Amino acid sequence: MASSVSVLLLLCMAAAVASAQLSPTFYDTSCPNALSTIKSAVTAAVNKENRMGASLLRLHFHDCFVQGCDASVLLDSGGEQGALPNAGSLRGFDVIANIKAQVEAVCKQTVSCADILAVAARDSVVALGGPSWTVPLGRRDSTTGSASLANSDLPPPFFNLSDLIGAFSNKGFSATEMVALSGAHTIGQAQCKNFRDHIYNDTNINSGFASSLKANCPQPTGSGDGNLAPLDTTTPYVFDNAYYSNLLNQKGLLHSDQELFNGGSTDNTVRNFASNSAAFSSAFAAAMVKMGNLSPLTGSQGQIRLVCSKAN
């Protein structure tokens, strides 16, 4: 019994050390131009297409929620790209591939794809006027992905509040952190198939707002499924707190968005973020750092992929 307890303690300590190995200065010596290279490439991509900022942020989220922040989502053969939450909607792979190529030209096989995703997410938010944060670095890349985990761990747009709280709690996030991370929907777009039920069947939606969306999202399934609408109609390409103000007015695009302000336990958090942009920015930045710390591969674990779409 004593030996099993000590083994458990050692495992816990090893996990803590692995997380602690992430450091903002990880590449200061080995690749001092890494961060500036990533930033300039992200800024160029977002300037070319505003929507790309949201796409790169989403890539990081969909990476970290599935077996940790290990760039598994970037693997062509990993299975995750074909999972239900990702198929036909994840984008930005070409931008990440371009960034990786630029970084490889500066420092050969030094900077991981997982770290590039984490930094690109931050730089995307900054490029669209949002807060900055210090990104701990030193993640390594996985050699496999998991379609089954992508299907089970990524919260779908039809989740209710208790589902959302549970999904984020499973990853160690509080309800407040979940609401803060949901603020990523202040940028980006969603496909008609993901908000059709909300605009036609839910009652907790502004009727004018619902009507305005129906022309581009016909009711029959299969008709206009891929048509897009902004998650934040107020300032769709600015990273601000308008998402929460929209929720106060029952103008959340997804069912899961409006669930955050629907007479439940997170209503006051939404009110706070809607009225206090600094509170939202601070909470979002802190939650993003925490998300980036989800089960990273460090030390001798995993590898540094030469190309992000395939294992070495």
Side-chain angles (χ1 to χ4, degrees):
M1 179 66 184
S3 63
S4 63
V5 170
S6 62
V7 168
L8 190 60
L9 282 171
L10 283 170
L11 286 172
C12 290
M13 286 168 64
V17 169
S19 180
Q21 283 175 352
L22 295 185
S23 163
T25 60
F26 189 82
Y27 297 113
D28 280 9
T29 303
S30 61
C31 192
N33 292 323
L35 296 186
S36 60
T37 302
I38 297 170
K39 186 178 182 67
S40 62
V42 168
T43 303
V46 174
N47 285 343
K48 183 179 178 182
E49 185 201 0
N50 286 337
R51 185 185 171 205
M52 188 52 67
S55 298
L56 295 178
L57 177 59
R58 186 167 182 252
L59 267 183
H60 181 45
F61 170 63
H62 281 230
D63 178 36
C64 291
F65 258 56
V66 181
Q67 69 183 32
C69 306
D70 60 359
S72 56
V73 75
L74 300 178
L75 290 168
D76 286 343
S77 60
E80 290 180 28
Q81 292 179 21
L84 198 60
N86 296 333
S89 66
L90 274 189
R91 51 199 304 277
F93 297 108
D94 54 337
V95 173
I96 295 297
N98 174 50
I99 295 172
K100 175 63 171 172
Q102 289 187 41
V103 173
E104 282 295 310
V106 178
C107 310
K108 187 74 170 175
Q109 204 171 359
T110 303
V111 181
S112 69
C113 299
D115 276 347
I116 287 174
L117 280 180
V119 175
R122 188 269 314 273
D123 291 346
S124 292
V125 170
V126 172
L128 294 173
S132 185
W133 58 91
T134 301
V135 180
L137 301 163
R139 300 167 192 80
R140 288 169 65 85
D141 301 324
S142 64
T143 55
T144 58
S146 174
S148 60
L149 285 179
N151 282 319
S152 65
D153 290 6
L154 289 165
F158 54 79
F159 262 13
N160 62 29
L161 182 59
S162 61
D163 294 329
L164 291 167
I165 290 173
F168 279 79
S169 176
N170 287 341
K171 301 295 181 183
F173 292 102
S174 68
T176 298
E177 289 169 331
M178 180 272 290
V179 175
L181 288 172
S182 298
H185 285 181
T186 188
I187 53 174
Q189 302 183 52
Q191 297 177 336
C192 162
K193 64 181 179 182
N194 290 322
F195 60 83
R196 178 183 280 121
D197 283 350
H198 183 48
I199 65 174
Y200 285 102
N201 300 324
D202 287 347
T203 56
N204 62 338
I205 184 171
N206 178 284
S207 58
F209 177 62
S211 297
S212 71
L213 292 162
K214 289 176 179 177
N216 196 41
C217 186
Q219 191 160 12
T221 301
S223 178
D225 279 4
N227 292 350
L228 298 169
L231 288 155
D232 167 14
T233 55
T234 313
T235 50
Y237 299 116
V238 179
F239 197 97
D240 56 18
N241 64 335
Y243 167 80
Y244 301 102
S245 301
N246 295 338
L247 297 184
L248 298 184
N249 295 312
Q250 292 193 313
K251 293 183 179 180
L253 182 65
L254 305 177
H255 174 85
S256 55
D257 287 326
Q258 198 57 57
E259 278 289 296
L260 304 184
F261 188 80
N262 194 36
S265 60
T266 55
D267 280 13
N268 283 338
T269 304
V270 172
R271 288 192 188 96
N272 179 38
F273 289 161
S275 64
N276 189 334
S277 61
F280 163 56
S281 292
S282 176
F284 181 81
M288 286 296 293
V289 172
K290 184 172 178 177
M291 188 178 79
N293 278 326
L294 285 176
S295 306
L297 300 175
T298 58
S300 59
Q301 300 170 316
Q303 61 182 212
I304 305 295
R305 286 187 220 142
L306 286 163
V307 177
C308 289
S309 58
K310 61 181 183 181
N312 297 341

